[in-house]
Amino acid sequence: MSTNAIKTRFEEPVMLWLERMPLLSTYTKTKGWPYVIAWCHRIAGLLLVAYLWFHIYTLLSLSSPPSYDATMKFYGFILFRILEWALAIPVIFHALNGGRLILYESFETRDDESMTRWLLWLSMLYVALLGALMLIGSQSVSAVFFWLTMSVAGLTLAYGVTSKIWAIEHSLLWKLQRITGAYLLILIPAHMLFMHLNYSMAHEANTVVMRMQNYFVKAVDITLVVVVLYHAGYGLVSFTGDYLESRSLRIGLAALVILVMLFFAALGIRLALVI
Ligand code: HEM
């Protein structure tokens, strides 16, 4: 995929702006866009892992509503609100680019030009939509209805990907990462949108606790915790494995990642069950 190949009438200004950015321009010129996109995917994945750990840790204070409300008041400052919105960029980029990779692996056809165009425009649309919801902040929707719809969509997509990649010659763990990726492609962007439909949805302890007491919502939350920690854990192990020569170091690091992910899974599941 050449740099010019993904420049068309609509995205030309955006691509030109990106190509002029200090660090990015060096790599787009010497290594090309596919290399840059692969690295952006990795960096976004790592940012999401860091945010995921921090997110689970913050949610633990829900066991004491006044302390959760105080934490949310602190994160209500404009700088944190902007950072919260900016999180949509790695989220949607990693989700759509991951979706693009899964599509290639499932159908074995490549059309980088139109895929990158879709990736760019859908990402910008999503980030703008989330910003608009955060500014308006007054919509309301039934949590069970929303999560039922999203779960059906996520499971359907995961089933479709399973039926496509099952026959591919790869390990079961690899296949599971792609299947979890397909499920997350719907659930993670939806999770962020839902949390910003209304300010109280995510920022007021009583509203959050009331929602999490519903058994269906508990099941969705636990599934999401398990799926996302598996996906991220596998990603970390395979990504770091690419750079470590020593087999014992690779095994040691994989064991450490598994332990940390199991620890966060236990925290997340316990929270969903006791609330
Ligand atoms: C939202 C939907 C998501 C999709 C569709 C998706 C898809 C993918 C795919 C296909 C890969 C493999 C990339 C490769 O081997 O080149 C991957 C890697 C990875 N993912 Fe995700 N992912 C999603 C969400 C997440 C989330 C929420 C996290 C973290 C909490 C995460 C963390 C990672 C990490 C750390 C890697 C390894 C980085 C790499 O090797 O490029 N992903 N993802």
Side-chain angles (χ1 to χ4, degrees), residues 217-261:
V217 173
K218 273 184 201 293
V220 172
D221 286 346
I222 293 173
T223 311
L224 196 55
V225 165
V226 173
V227 165
V228 77
L229 285 168
Y230 173 79
H231 176 92
Y234 183 94
L236 279 185
V237 171
S238 67
F239 164 49
T240 49
D242 286 352
Y243 300 95
L244 295 174
E245 294 279 306
S246 146
R247 189 168 179 267
S248 46
L249 213 61
R250 277 206 307 269
I251 294 176
L253 200 80
L256 183 69
V257 169
I258 293 170
L259 276 180
V260 173
M261 291 306 186

Side-chain angles (χ1 to χ4, degrees), residues 35-53:
Y35 176 89
V36 172
I37 290 179
W39 262 102
C40 289
H41 188 83
R42 294 211 143 155
I43 294 166
L46 293 180
L47 281 175
L48 296 184
V49 173
Y51 180 75
L52 177 65
W53 289 339

Side-chain angles (χ1 to χ4, degrees), residues 78-170:
I78 185 73
L79 175 69
F80 291 117
R81 297 281 288 153
I82 293 173
L83 283 177
E84 201 176 4
W85 170 71
L87 181 71
I89 298 170
V91 164
I92 201 62
F93 177 81
H94 187 95
L96 291 178
N97 190 53
R100 182 178 74 96
L101 295 173
I102 294 170
L103 213 62
Y104 289 155
E105 289 159 355
S106 304
F107 293 93
E108 293 176 358
T109 53
R110 295 189 77 97
D111 180 359
D112 282 326
E113 195 182 328
S114 68
M115 283 303 218
T116 311
R117 195 160 48 236
W118 278 99
L119 173 73
L120 195 69
W121 283 106
L122 286 178
S123 295
M124 291 200 294
L125 190 72
Y126 179 81
V127 175
L129 179 65
L130 186 79
L133 285 181
M134 286 177 81
L135 288 175
I136 303 167
S138 63
Q139 299 87 341
S140 198
V141 69
S142 147
V144 172
F145 174 74
F146 182 89
W147 286 116
L148 187 64
T149 318
M150 292 304 144
S151 299
V152 170
L155 288 171
T156 310
L157 191 62
Y159 174 76
V161 168
T162 309
S163 63
K164 276 284 172 196
I165 65 163
W166 207 248
I168 298 179
E169 262 191 56
H170 252 297

